[in-house]
Amino acid sequence: MRLFASLKAYLKPAAIVIGIILVLDLALAQILKRGTEFWAGTYPHMDHRVRSADYHHTFAPGREVIERWGRITYRFATNSLGFKDAAPRAVKAKRDGPRLLLLGDSFTEGAGYGFPETFAGRIAAAMDKNGVEVLNAAVGSYAPIIYNLKTRYLLDKVGLQFDHVVIFLDVSDIYDEAKGYRTDARGRLIVPPETPEKTSRVIGHFLRDNSMIGRAFTLIRDQLSGARKALKLRWRAASESGESFFSVSDAALQIYAITDKAAGRWTYDDEAWRDHGADGRQKAAGQLDRLFTYLKNRKIPMTLAIYPWPDQILFDPEAPRHLGFWRDWAAARGIQFIDLFAAFTDGASVETLLRYFIAGDFHWNEQGHALTAAAFLRQFKD
């Protein structure tokens, strides 16, 4: 009994202290959430990326948030159509002047950068001087089946007016057509139903977003995970390049971080070609054929633009399975073809990957976006 009484005497003040700490912890977290960008920038909410029953996924309209891509934090905004834009704004369905619609995946969305820094934003700024409005309907992980469905949705259901469509076909679109999207027996896209998060994940996110202690724990865990991945990459780069583990060059790290990706090597790797390349390209061509016919019936021109991944820059600069195929496909249909390969592959070297791509990522940095915009504007004829 004495022991119990003694413990009880200590437990009560301990509980009070713990309670005070928790209250202060939660209160300070709320202050930081409302008063600093650091809180939003470390683990930003992604509720502006939403499901679409018509074409799988899209952006919520009229949003302005902080997004994070790897180590890059940037401002992200959408207009009233749910398209990435410089700032929230109302876009009218009808317009007196010409309007260009861009479609693509994360490259065209501009992963890691606000709209003005992306190639789409740069094209929009250049064409605005000539009275042409550019709308960017791209979203990460889109593929030809989505380009087809979203274009029809915008014209048939939204009543959006545009005079030209440019498809920026990504190397990974072929993989996504083969592996990422499924259709039913009638060829309709299957949009998986939303599934509720596991209770453990909900609790973890709540503590991360509302507690200083919870956020500190999550940050430490993720930093350790990132450090482990960096060490594994350095070890691989050192082993395969013959360089010292402690003095591996930035070039070697970049090569092994952003090349030899499953979705990118089908253009030159026969096993990947057999696994998903041939099937995915056939499906992509079928979707783009349907989109081309649909637009042609509405007298809306279509342009096809092709660009390389780091894999093609280093290992397959001519890319006959991709660049060659789509050049011929466009020519057979009288479609304007924009070759963005040459801007990256002419005189290409490992330095090209360092100059135009985000460190450790196969997406473009600001210089890569600027190069893409300039190459497109030189070739595009409306």
Side-chain angles (χ1 to χ4, degrees), residues 46-70:
M46 303 298 285
D47 56 357
H48 57 287
R49 294 181 179 267
V50 297
R51 177 178 174 271
S52 168
D54 295 286
Y55 48 86
H56 202 274
H57 63 284
T58 186
F59 297 134
R63 300 293 294 274
E64 188 167 22
V65 299
I66 299 294
E67 268 220 349
R68 188 175 181 87
W69 183 263

mmCIF file with all atom_site columns, all heavy atoms in Angstrom, residues 46-70:
data_model
loop_
_atom_site.group_PDB
_atom_site.id
_atom_site.type_symbol
_atom_site.label_atom_id
_atom_site.label_alt_id
_atom_site.label_comp_id
_atom_site.label_asym_id
_atom_site.label_entity_id
_atom_site.label_seq_id
_atom_site.pdbx_PDB_ins_code
_atom_site.Cartn_x
_atom_site.Cartn_y
_atom_site.Cartn_z
_atom_site.occupancy
_atom_site.B_iso_or_equiv
_atom_site.pdbx_formal_charge
_atom_site.auth_seq_id
_atom_site.auth_comp_id
_atom_site.auth_asym_id
_atom_site.auth_atom_id
_atom_site.pdbx_PDB_model_num
ATOM 1   N N   . MET A 1 46 ? -2.082  17.637 -49.894 1.00 0.00 ? 46 MET A N   1
ATOM 2   C CA  . MET A 1 46 ? -2.230  17.364 -51.322 1.00 0.00 ? 46 MET A CA  1
ATOM 3   C C   . MET A 1 46 ? -3.702  17.260 -51.715 1.00 0.00 ? 46 MET A C   1
ATOM 4   O O   . MET A 1 46 ? -4.035  16.608 -52.705 1.00 0.00 ? 46 MET A O   1
ATOM 5   C CB  . MET A 1 46 ? -1.497  16.061 -51.668 1.00 0.00 ? 46 MET A CB  1
ATOM 6   C CG  . MET A 1 46 ? -0.022  16.063 -51.302 1.00 0.00 ? 46 MET A CG  1
ATOM 7   S SD  . MET A 1 46 ? 0.918   17.325 -52.191 1.00 0.00 ? 46 MET A SD  1
ATOM 8   C CE  . MET A 1 46 ? 1.015   16.570 -53.804 1.00 0.00 ? 46 MET A CE  1
ATOM 9   N N   . ASP A 1 47 ? -4.580  17.910 -50.955 1.00 0.00 ? 47 ASP A N   1
ATOM 10  C CA  . ASP A 1 47 ? -6.002  17.770 -51.241 1.00 0.00 ? 47 ASP A CA  1
ATOM 11  C C   . ASP A 1 47 ? -6.449  18.550 -52.470 1.00 0.00 ? 47 ASP A C   1
ATOM 12  O O   . ASP A 1 47 ? -7.621  18.506 -52.850 1.00 0.00 ? 47 ASP A O   1
ATOM 13  C CB  . ASP A 1 47 ? -6.844  18.162 -50.030 1.00 0.00 ? 47 ASP A CB  1
ATOM 14  C CG  . ASP A 1 47 ? -6.561  19.574 -49.538 1.00 0.00 ? 47 ASP A CG  1
ATOM 15  O OD1 . ASP A 1 47 ? -5.665  20.231 -50.099 1.00 0.00 ? 47 ASP A OD1 1
ATOM 16  O OD2 . ASP A 1 47 ? -7.230  20.019 -48.588 1.00 0.00 ? 47 ASP A OD2 1
ATOM 17  N N   . HIS A 1 48 ? -5.522  19.278 -53.112 1.00 0.00 ? 48 HIS A N   1
ATOM 18  C CA  . HIS A 1 48 ? -5.858  19.936 -54.373 1.00 0.00 ? 48 HIS A CA  1
ATOM 19  C C   . HIS A 1 48 ? -5.686  18.982 -55.553 1.00 0.00 ? 48 HIS A C   1
ATOM 20  O O   . HIS A 1 48 ? -6.077  19.294 -56.673 1.00 0.00 ? 48 HIS A O   1
ATOM 21  C CB  . HIS A 1 48 ? -4.970  21.172 -54.583 1.00 0.00 ? 48 HIS A CB  1
ATOM 22  C CG  . HIS A 1 48 ? -3.507  20.862 -54.553 1.00 0.00 ? 48 HIS A CG  1
ATOM 23  N ND1 . HIS A 1 48 ? -2.841  20.566 -53.390 1.00 0.00 ? 48 HIS A ND1 1
ATOM 24  C CD2 . HIS A 1 48 ? -2.582  20.784 -55.539 1.00 0.00 ? 48 HIS A CD2 1
ATOM 25  C CE1 . HIS A 1 48 ? -1.570  20.325 -53.655 1.00 0.00 ? 48 HIS A CE1 1
ATOM 26  N NE2 . HIS A 1 48 ? -1.389  20.434 -54.952 1.00 0.00 ? 48 HIS A NE2 1
ATOM 27  N N   . ARG A 1 49 ? -5.097  17.829 -55.308 1.00 0.00 ? 49 ARG A N   1
ATOM 28  C CA  . ARG A 1 49 ? -4.993  16.784 -56.339 1.00 0.00 ? 49 ARG A CA  1
ATOM 29  C C   . ARG A 1 49 ? -6.140  15.812 -56.087 1.00 0.00 ? 49 ARG A C   1
ATOM 30  O O   . ARG A 1 49 ? -6.149  15.102 -55.075 1.00 0.00 ? 49 ARG A O   1
ATOM 31  C CB  . ARG A 1 49 ? -3.631  16.093 -56.271 1.00 0.00 ? 49 ARG A CB  1
ATOM 32  C CG  . ARG A 1 49 ? -2.490  17.039 -56.644 1.00 0.00 ? 49 ARG A CG  1
ATOM 33  C CD  . ARG A 1 49 ? -1.132  16.362 -56.615 1.00 0.00 ? 49 ARG A CD  1
ATOM 34  N NE  . ARG A 1 49 ? -0.080  17.293 -56.992 1.00 0.00 ? 49 ARG A NE  1
ATOM 35  C CZ  . ARG A 1 49 ? 0.383   17.458 -58.230 1.00 0.00 ? 49 ARG A CZ  1
ATOM 36  N NH1 . ARG A 1 49 ? -0.106  16.723 -59.212 1.00 0.00 ? 49 ARG A NH1 1
ATOM 37  N NH2 . ARG A 1 49 ? 1.320   18.340 -58.491 1.00 0.00 ? 49 ARG A NH2 1
ATOM 38  N N   . VAL A 1 50 ? -7.094  15.816 -56.995 1.00 0.00 ? 50 VAL A N   1
ATOM 39  C CA  . VAL A 1 50 ? -8.358  15.135 -56.720 1.00 0.00 ? 50 VAL A CA  1
ATOM 40  C C   . VAL A 1 50 ? -8.693  14.105 -57.795 1.00 0.00 ? 50 VAL A C   1
ATOM 41  O O   . VAL A 1 50 ? -8.170  14.136 -58.911 1.00 0.00 ? 50 VAL A O   1
ATOM 42  C CB  . VAL A 1 50 ? -9.516  16.160 -56.612 1.00 0.00 ? 50 VAL A CB  1
ATOM 43  C CG1 . VAL A 1 50 ? -9.287  17.100 -55.437 1.00 0.00 ? 50 VAL A CG1 1
ATOM 44  C CG2 . VAL A 1 50 ? -9.663  16.961 -57.908 1.00 0.00 ? 50 VAL A CG2 1
ATOM 45  N N   . ARG A 1 51 ? -9.579  13.206 -57.424 1.00 0.00 ? 51 ARG A N   1
ATOM 46  C CA  . ARG A 1 51 ? -10.063 12.165 -58.326 1.00 0.00 ? 51 ARG A CA  1
ATOM 47  C C   . ARG A 1 51 ? -11.073 12.757 -59.303 1.00 0.00 ? 51 ARG A C   1
ATOM 48  O O   . ARG A 1 51 ? -11.833 13.655 -58.964 1.00 0.00 ? 51 ARG A O   1
ATOM 49  C CB  . ARG A 1 51 ? -10.709 11.068 -57.485 1.00 0.00 ? 51 ARG A CB  1
ATOM 50  C CG  . ARG A 1 51 ? -11.351 9.919  -58.227 1.00 0.00 ? 51 ARG A CG  1
ATOM 51  C CD  . ARG A 1 51 ? -11.885 8.925  -57.203 1.00 0.00 ? 51 ARG A CD  1
ATOM 52  N NE  . ARG A 1 51 ? -12.639 7.846  -57.819 1.00 0.00 ? 51 ARG A NE  1
ATOM 53  C CZ  . ARG A 1 51 ? -13.943 7.891  -58.060 1.00 0.00 ? 51 ARG A CZ  1
ATOM 54  N NH1 . ARG A 1 51 ? -14.629 8.976  -57.738 1.00 0.00 ? 51 ARG A NH1 1
ATOM 55  N NH2 . ARG A 1 51 ? -14.560 6.863  -58.615 1.00 0.00 ? 51 ARG A NH2 1
ATOM 56  N N   . SER A 1 52 ? -11.109 12.222 -60.516 1.00 0.00 ? 52 SER A N   1
ATOM 57  C CA  . SER A 1 52 ? -12.116 12.610 -61.501 1.00 0.00 ? 52 SER A CA  1
ATOM 58  C C   . SER A 1 52 ? -12.828 11.360 -62.000 1.00 0.00 ? 52 SER A C   1
ATOM 59  O O   . SER A 1 52 ? -12.181 10.419 -62.467 1.00 0.00 ? 52 SER A O   1
ATOM 60  C CB  . SER A 1 52 ? -11.479 13.336 -62.691 1.00 0.00 ? 52 SER A CB  1
ATOM 61  O OG  . SER A 1 52 ? -12.406 13.462 -63.757 1.00 0.00 ? 52 SER A OG  1
ATOM 62  N N   . ALA A 1 53 ? -14.133 11.354 -61.908 1.00 0.00 ? 53 ALA A N   1
ATOM 63  C CA  . ALA A 1 53 ? -14.902 10.211 -62.398 1.00 0.00 ? 53 ALA A CA  1
ATOM 64  C C   . ALA A 1 53 ? -14.875 10.135 -63.919 1.00 0.00 ? 53 ALA A C   1
ATOM 65  O O   . ALA A 1 53 ? -15.120 9.075  -64.499 1.00 0.00 ? 53 ALA A O   1
ATOM 66  C CB  . ALA A 1 53 ? -16.344 10.311 -61.910 1.00 0.00 ? 53 ALA A CB  1
ATOM 67  N N   . ASP A 1 54 ? -14.552 11.260 -64.571 1.00 0.00 ? 54 ASP A N   1
ATOM 68  C CA  . ASP A 1 54 ? -14.563 11.307 -66.038 1.00 0.00 ? 54 ASP A CA  1
ATOM 69  C C   . ASP A 1 54 ? -13.214 10.965 -66.658 1.00 0.00 ? 54 ASP A C   1
ATOM 70  O O   . ASP A 1 54 ? -13.153 10.358 -67.719 1.00 0.00 ? 54 ASP A O   1
ATOM 71  C CB  . ASP A 1 54 ? -14.987 12.704 -66.506 1.00 0.00 ? 54 ASP A CB  1
ATOM 72  C CG  . ASP A 1 54 ? -16.411 13.030 -66.115 1.00 0.00 ? 54 ASP A CG  1
ATOM 73  O OD1 . ASP A 1 54 ? -17.331 12.480 -66.743 1.00 0.00 ? 54 ASP A OD1 1
ATOM 74  O OD2 . ASP A 1 54 ? -16.598 13.815 -65.170 1.00 0.00 ? 54 ASP A OD2 1
ATOM 75  N N   . TYR A 1 55 ? -12.119 11.376 -66.004 1.00 0.00 ? 55 TYR A N   1
ATOM 76  C CA  . TYR A 1 55 ? -10.800 11.117 -66.595 1.00 0.00 ? 55 TYR A CA  1
ATOM 77  C C   . TYR A 1 55 ? -9.726  10.877 -65.533 1.00 0.00 ? 55 TYR A C   1
ATOM 78  O O   . TYR A 1 55 ? -8.604  11.319 -65.659 1.00 0.00 ? 55 TYR A O   1
ATOM 79  C CB  . TYR A 1 55 ? -10.396 12.253 -67.548 1.00 0.00 ? 55 TYR A CB  1
ATOM 80  C CG  . TYR A 1 55 ? -10.574 13.648 -66.988 1.00 0.00 ? 55 TYR A CG  1
ATOM 81  C CD1 . TYR A 1 55 ? -9.579  14.247 -66.224 1.00 0.00 ? 55 TYR A CD1 1
ATOM 82  C CD2 . TYR A 1 55 ? -11.743 14.363 -67.223 1.00 0.00 ? 55 TYR A CD2 1
ATOM 83  C CE1 . TYR A 1 55 ? -9.732  15.517 -65.714 1.00 0.00 ? 55 TYR A CE1 1
ATOM 84  C CE2 . TYR A 1 55 ? -11.912 15.640 -66.717 1.00 0.00 ? 55 TYR A CE2 1
ATOM 85  C CZ  . TYR A 1 55 ? -10.903 16.210 -65.966 1.00 0.00 ? 55 TYR A CZ  1
ATOM 86  O OH  . TYR A 1 55 ? -11.060 17.479 -65.456 1.00 0.00 ? 55 TYR A OH  1
ATOM 87  N N   . HIS A 1 56 ? -10.112 10.166 -64.488 1.00 0.00 ? 56 HIS A N   1
ATOM 88  C CA  . HIS A 1 56 ? -9.208  9.599  -63.488 1.00 0.00 ? 56 HIS A CA  1
ATOM 89  C C   . HIS A 1 56 ? -8.751  10.566 -62.406 1.00 0.00 ? 56 HIS A C   1
ATOM 90  O O   . HIS A 1 56 ? -9.019  10.359 -61.235 1.00 0.00 ? 56 HIS A O   1
ATOM 91  C CB  . HIS A 1 56 ? -7.985  8.956  -64.158 1.00 0.00 ? 56 HIS A CB  1
ATOM 92  C CG  . HIS A 1 56 ? -7.298  7.937  -63.305 1.00 0.00 ? 56 HIS A CG  1
ATOM 93  N ND1 . HIS A 1 56 ? -6.340  8.267  -62.373 1.00 0.00 ? 56 HIS A ND1 1
ATOM 94  C CD2 . HIS A 1 56 ? -7.446  6.591  -63.235 1.00 0.00 ? 56 HIS A CD2 1
ATOM 95  C CE1 . HIS A 1 56 ? -5.924  7.158  -61.766 1.00 0.00 ? 56 HIS A CE1 1
ATOM 96  N NE2 . HIS A 1 56 ? -6.582  6.129  -62.261 1.00 0.00 ? 56 HIS A NE2 1
ATOM 97  N N   . HIS A 1 57 ? -8.003  11.631 -62.751 1.00 0.00 ? 57 HIS A N   1
ATOM 98  C CA  . HIS A 1 57 ? -7.550  12.566 -61.722 1.00 0.00 ? 57 HIS A CA  1
ATOM 99  C C   . HIS A 1 57 ? -7.264  13.930 -62.329 1.00 0.00 ? 57 HIS A C   1
ATOM 100 O O   . HIS A 1 57 ? -7.032  14.055 -63.537 1.00 0.00 ? 57 HIS A O   1
ATOM 101 C CB  . HIS A 1 57 ? -6.316  12.040 -60.983 1.00 0.00 ? 57 HIS A CB  1
ATOM 102 C CG  . HIS A 1 57 ? -5.099  11.858 -61.855 1.00 0.00 ? 57 HIS A CG  1
ATOM 103 N ND1 . HIS A 1 57 ? -4.951  10.811 -62.737 1.00 0.00 ? 57 HIS A ND1 1
ATOM 104 C CD2 . HIS A 1 57 ? -3.959  12.588 -61.970 1.00 0.00 ? 57 HIS A CD2 1
ATOM 105 C CE1 . HIS A 1 57 ? -3.783  10.893 -63.355 1.00 0.00 ? 57 HIS A CE1 1
ATOM 106 N NE2 . HIS A 1 57 ? -3.160  11.971 -62.912 1.00 0.00 ? 57 HIS A NE2 1
ATOM 107 N N   . THR A 1 58 ? -7.284  14.944 -61.472 1.00 0.00 ? 58 THR A N   1
ATOM 108 C CA  . THR A 1 58 ? -7.119  16.314 -61.941 1.00 0.00 ? 58 THR A CA  1
ATOM 109 C C   . THR A 1 58 ? -6.733  17.203 -60.758 1.00 0.00 ? 58 THR A C   1
ATOM 110 O O   . THR A 1 58 ? -6.373  16.697 -59.687 1.00 0.00 ? 58 THR A O   1
ATOM 111 C CB  . THR A 1 58 ? -8.424  16.806 -62.607 1.00 0.00 ? 58 THR A CB  1
ATOM 112 O OG1 . THR A 1 58 ? -8.217  18.094 -63.184 1.00 0.00 ? 58 THR A OG1 1
ATOM 113 C CG2 . THR A 1 58 ? -9.574  16.874 -61.611 1.00 0.00 ? 58 THR A CG2 1
ATOM 114 N N   . PHE A 1 59 ? -6.818  18.519 -60.945 1.00 0.00 ? 59 PHE A N   1
ATOM 115 C CA  . PHE A 1 59 ? -6.586  19.477 -59.864 1.00 0.00 ? 59 PHE A CA  1
ATOM 116 C C   . PHE A 1 59 ? -7.905  20.136 -59.477 1.00 0.00 ? 59 PHE A C   1
ATOM 117 O O   . PHE A 1 59 ? -8.762  20.382 -60.333 1.00 0.00 ? 59 PHE A O   1
ATOM 118 C CB  . PHE A 1 59 ? -5.615  20.581 -60.300 1.00 0.00 ? 59 PHE A CB  1
ATOM 119 C CG  . PHE A 1 59 ? -4.232  20.099 -60.646 1.00 0.00 ? 59 PHE A CG  1
ATOM 120 C CD1 . PHE A 1 59 ? -3.599  20.551 -61.795 1.00 0.00 ? 59 PHE A CD1 1
ATOM 121 C CD2 . PHE A 1 59 ? -3.559  19.213 -59.828 1.00 0.00 ? 59 PHE A CD2 1
ATOM 122 C CE1 . PHE A 1 59 ? -2.326  20.125 -62.121 1.00 0.00 ? 59 PHE A CE1 1
ATOM 123 C CE2 . PHE A 1 59 ? -2.283  18.774 -60.148 1.00 0.00 ? 59 PHE A CE2 1
ATOM 124 C CZ  . PHE A 1 59 ? -1.665  19.232 -61.299 1.00 0.00 ? 59 PHE A CZ  1
ATOM 125 N N   . ALA A 1 60 ? -8.036  20.456 -58.198 1.00 0.00 ? 60 ALA A N   1
ATOM 126 C CA  . ALA A 1 60 ? -9.189  21.235 -57.748 1.00 0.00 ? 60 ALA A CA  1
ATOM 127 C C   . ALA A 1 60 ? -9.047  22.662 -58.275 1.00 0.00 ? 60 ALA A C   1
ATOM 128 O O   . ALA A 1 60 ? -7.942  23.201 -58.329 1.00 0.00 ? 60 ALA A O   1
ATOM 129 C CB  . ALA A 1 60 ? -9.265  21.235 -56.227 1.00 0.00 ? 60 ALA A CB  1
ATOM 130 N N   . PRO A 1 61 ? -10.140 23.295 -58.674 1.00 0.00 ? 61 PRO A N   1
ATOM 131 C CA  . PRO A 1 61 ? -10.060 24.656 -59.231 1.00 0.00 ? 61 PRO A CA  1
ATOM 132 C C   . PRO A 1 61 ? -9.858  25.725 -58.162 1.00 0.00 ? 61 PRO A C   1
ATOM 133 O O   . PRO A 1 61 ? -10.221 25.548 -56.993 1.00 0.00 ? 61 PRO A O   1
ATOM 134 C CB  . PRO A 1 61 ? -11.422 24.820 -59.911 1.00 0.00 ? 61 PRO A CB  1
ATOM 135 C CG  . PRO A 1 61 ? -12.339 23.927 -59.131 1.00 0.00 ? 61 PRO A CG  1
ATOM 136 C CD  . PRO A 1 61 ? -11.511 22.750 -58.718 1.00 0.00 ? 61 PRO A CD  1
ATOM 137 N N   . GLY A 1 62 ? -9.264  26.835 -58.591 1.00 0.00 ? 62 GLY A N   1
ATOM 138 C CA  . GLY A 1 62 ? -9.155  28.013 -57.745 1.00 0.00 ? 62 GLY A CA  1
ATOM 139 C C   . GLY A 1 62 ? -8.356  27.825 -56.475 1.00 0.00 ? 62 GLY A C   1
ATOM 140 O O   . GLY A 1 62 ? -8.695  28.374 -55.432 1.00 0.00 ? 62 GLY A O   1
ATOM 141 N N   . ARG A 1 63 ? -7.261  27.094 -56.550 1.00 0.00 ? 63 ARG A N   1
ATOM 142 C CA  . ARG A 1 63 ? -6.450  26.839 -55.360 1.00 0.00 ? 63 ARG A CA  1
ATOM 143 C C   . ARG A 1 63 ? -5.096  27.533 -55.470 1.00 0.00 ? 63 ARG A C   1
ATOM 144 O O   . ARG A 1 63 ? -4.553  27.723 -56.554 1.00 0.00 ? 63 ARG A O   1
ATOM 145 C CB  . ARG A 1 63 ? -6.227  25.335 -55.179 1.00 0.00 ? 63 ARG A CB  1
ATOM 146 C CG  . ARG A 1 63 ? -7.498  24.529 -55.016 1.00 0.00 ? 63 ARG A CG  1
ATOM 147 C CD  . ARG A 1 63 ? -8.226  24.844 -53.724 1.00 0.00 ? 63 ARG A CD  1
ATOM 148 N NE  . ARG A 1 63 ? -7.445  24.423 -52.583 1.00 0.00 ? 63 ARG A NE  1
ATOM 149 C CZ  . ARG A 1 63 ? -7.478  23.192 -52.070 1.00 0.00 ? 63 ARG A CZ  1
ATOM 150 N NH1 . ARG A 1 63 ? -8.264  22.267 -52.607 1.00 0.00 ? 63 ARG A NH1 1
ATOM 151 N NH2 . ARG A 1 63 ? -6.756  22.883 -51.018 1.00 0.00 ? 63 ARG A NH2 1
ATOM 152 N N   . GLU A 1 64 ? -4.540  27.887 -54.323 1.00 0.00 ? 64 GLU A N   1
ATOM 153 C CA  . GLU A 1 64 ? -3.168  28.404 -54.236 1.00 0.00 ? 64 GLU A CA  1
ATOM 154 C C   . GLU A 1 64 ? -2.545  27.814 -52.982 1.00 0.00 ? 64 GLU A C   1
ATOM 155 O O   . GLU A 1 64 ? -2.967  28.119 -51.868 1.00 0.00 ? 64 GLU A O   1
ATOM 156 C CB  . GLU A 1 64 ? -3.141  29.930 -54.189 1.00 0.00 ? 64 GLU A CB  1
ATOM 157 C CG  . GLU A 1 64 ? -1.724  30.494 -54.307 1.00 0.00 ? 64 GLU A CG  1
ATOM 158 C CD  . GLU A 1 64 ? -1.708  31.984 -54.585 1.00 0.00 ? 64 GLU A CD  1
ATOM 159 O OE1 . GLU A 1 64 ? -2.720  32.655 -54.283 1.00 0.00 ? 64 GLU A OE1 1
ATOM 160 O OE2 . GLU A 1 64 ? -0.695  32.479 -55.109 1.00 0.00 ? 64 GLU A OE2 1
ATOM 161 N N   . VAL A 1 65 ? -1.557  26.946 -53.164 1.00 0.00 ? 65 VAL A N   1
ATOM 162 C CA  . VAL A 1 65 ? -0.995  26.182 -52.056 1.00 0.00 ? 65 VAL A CA  1
ATOM 163 C C   . VAL A 1 65 ? 0.526   26.123 -52.182 1.00 0.00 ? 65 VAL A C   1
ATOM 164 O O   . VAL A 1 65 ? 1.110   26.549 -53.180 1.00 0.00 ? 65 VAL A O   1
ATOM 165 C CB  . VAL A 1 65 ? -1.560  24.741 -52.037 1.00 0.00 ? 65 VAL A CB  1
ATOM 166 C CG1 . VAL A 1 65 ? -3.064  24.749 -51.850 1.00 0.00 ? 65 VAL A CG1 1
ATOM 167 C CG2 . VAL A 1 65 ? -1.185  23.997 -53.320 1.00 0.00 ? 65 VAL A CG2 1
ATOM 168 N N   . ILE A 1 66 ? 1.140   25.574 -51.140 1.00 0.00 ? 66 ILE A N   1
ATOM 169 C CA  . ILE A 1 66 ? 2.563   25.260 -51.178 1.00 0.00 ? 66 ILE A CA  1
ATOM 170 C C   . ILE A 1 66 ? 2.699   23.794 -51.564 1.00 0.00 ? 66 ILE A C   1
ATOM 171 O O   . ILE A 1 66 ? 2.031   22.929 -50.993 1.00 0.00 ? 66 ILE A O   1
ATOM 172 C CB  . ILE A 1 66 ? 3.229   25.495 -49.808 1.00 0.00 ? 66 ILE A CB  1
ATOM 173 C CG1 . ILE A 1 66 ? 3.100   26.963 -49.389 1.00 0.00 ? 66 ILE A CG1 1
ATOM 174 C CG2 . ILE A 1 66 ? 4.695   25.078 -49.853 1.00 0.00 ? 66 ILE A CG2 1
ATOM 175 C CD1 . ILE A 1 66 ? 3.858   27.925 -50.263 1.00 0.00 ? 66 ILE A CD1 1
ATOM 176 N N   . GLU A 1 67 ? 3.536   23.517 -52.552 1.00 0.00 ? 67 GLU A N   1
ATOM 177 C CA  . GLU A 1 67 ? 3.806   22.132 -52.937 1.00 0.00 ? 67 GLU A CA  1
ATOM 178 C C   . GLU A 1 67 ? 5.274   21.830 -52.711 1.00 0.00 ? 67 GLU A C   1
ATOM 179 O O   . GLU A 1 67 ? 6.116   22.732 -52.665 1.00 0.00 ? 67 GLU A O   1
ATOM 180 C CB  . GLU A 1 67 ? 3.450   21.893 -54.412 1.00 0.00 ? 67 GLU A CB  1
ATOM 181 C CG  . GLU A 1 67 ? 2.040   21.408 -54.628 1.00 0.00 ? 67 GLU A CG  1
ATOM 182 C CD  . GLU A 1 67 ? 1.934   20.340 -55.707 1.00 0.00 ? 67 GLU A CD  1
ATOM 183 O OE1 . GLU A 1 67 ? 2.917   20.113 -56.440 1.00 0.00 ? 67 GLU A OE1 1
ATOM 184 O OE2 . GLU A 1 67 ? 0.858   19.726 -55.822 1.00 0.00 ? 67 GLU A OE2 1
ATOM 185 N N   . ARG A 1 68 ? 5.572   20.554 -52.584 1.00 0.00 ? 68 ARG A N   1
ATOM 186 C CA  . ARG A 1 68 ? 6.955   20.124 -52.398 1.00 0.00 ? 68 ARG A CA  1
ATOM 187 C C   . ARG A 1 68 ? 7.253   19.009 -53.389 1.00 0.00 ? 68 ARG A C   1
ATOM 188 O O   . ARG A 1 68 ? 6.474   18.063 -53.532 1.00 0.00 ? 68 ARG A O   1
ATOM 189 C CB  . ARG A 1 68 ? 7.175   19.637 -50.967 1.00 0.00 ? 68 ARG A CB  1
ATOM 190 C CG  . ARG A 1 68 ? 8.635   19.346 -50.630 1.00 0.00 ? 68 ARG A CG  1
ATOM 191 C CD  . ARG A 1 68 ? 8.778   18.979 -49.159 1.00 0.00 ? 68 ARG A CD  1
ATOM 192 N NE  . ARG A 1 68 ? 10.163  18.713 -48.802 1.00 0.00 ? 68 ARG A NE  1
ATOM 193 C CZ  . ARG A 1 68 ? 11.023  19.642 -48.421 1.00 0.00 ? 68 ARG A CZ  1
ATOM 194 N NH1 . ARG A 1 68 ? 10.637  20.901 -48.341 1.00 0.00 ? 68 ARG A NH1 1
ATOM 195 N NH2 . ARG A 1 68 ? 12.264  19.313 -48.111 1.00 0.00 ? 68 ARG A NH2 1
ATOM 196 N N   . TRP A 1 69 ? 8.376   19.152 -54.081 1.00 0.00 ? 69 TRP A N   1
ATOM 197 C CA  . TRP A 1 69 ? 8.822   18.122 -55.017 1.00 0.00 ? 69 TRP A CA  1
ATOM 198 C C   . TRP A 1 69 ? 10.267  17.786 -54.657 1.00 0.00 ? 69 TRP A C   1
ATOM 199 O O   . TRP A 1 69 ? 11.168  18.558 -54.932 1.00 0.00 ? 69 TRP A O   1
ATOM 200 C CB  . TRP A 1 69 ? 8.725   18.627 -56.457 1.00 0.00 ? 69 TRP A CB  1
ATOM 201 C CG  . TRP A 1 69 ? 9.095   17.597 -57.478 1.00 0.00 ? 69 TRP A CG  1
ATOM 202 C CD1 . TRP A 1 69 ? 10.303  17.438 -58.089 1.00 0.00 ? 69 TRP A CD1 1
ATOM 203 C CD2 . TRP A 1 69 ? 8.245   16.573 -58.008 1.00 0.00 ? 69 TRP A CD2 1
ATOM 204 N NE1 . TRP A 1 69 ? 10.266  16.379 -58.959 1.00 0.00 ? 69 TRP A NE1 1
ATOM 205 C CE2 . TRP A 1 69 ? 9.008   15.830 -58.930 1.00 0.00 ? 69 TRP A CE2 1
ATOM 206 C CE3 . TRP A 1 69 ? 6.916   16.210 -57.780 1.00 0.00 ? 69 TRP A CE3 1
ATOM 207 C CZ2 . TRP A 1 69 ? 8.480   14.747 -59.633 1.00 0.00 ? 69 TRP A CZ2 1
ATOM 208 C CZ3 . TRP A 1 69 ? 6.395   15.131 -58.480 1.00 0.00 ? 69 TRP A CZ3 1
ATOM 209 C CH2 . TRP A 1 69 ? 7.172   14.417 -59.393 1.00 0.00 ? 69 TRP A CH2 1
ATOM 210 N N   . GLY A 1 70 ? 10.465  16.647 -54.004 1.00 0.00 ? 70 GLY A N   1
ATOM 211 C CA  . GLY A 1 70 ? 11.804  16.345 -53.511 1.00 0.00 ? 70 GLY A CA  1
ATOM 212 C C   . GLY A 1 70 ? 12.219  17.381 -52.480 1.00 0.00 ? 70 GLY A C   1
ATOM 213 O O   . GLY A 1 70 ? 11.538  17.597 -51.480 1.00 0.00 ? 70 GLY A O   1
#
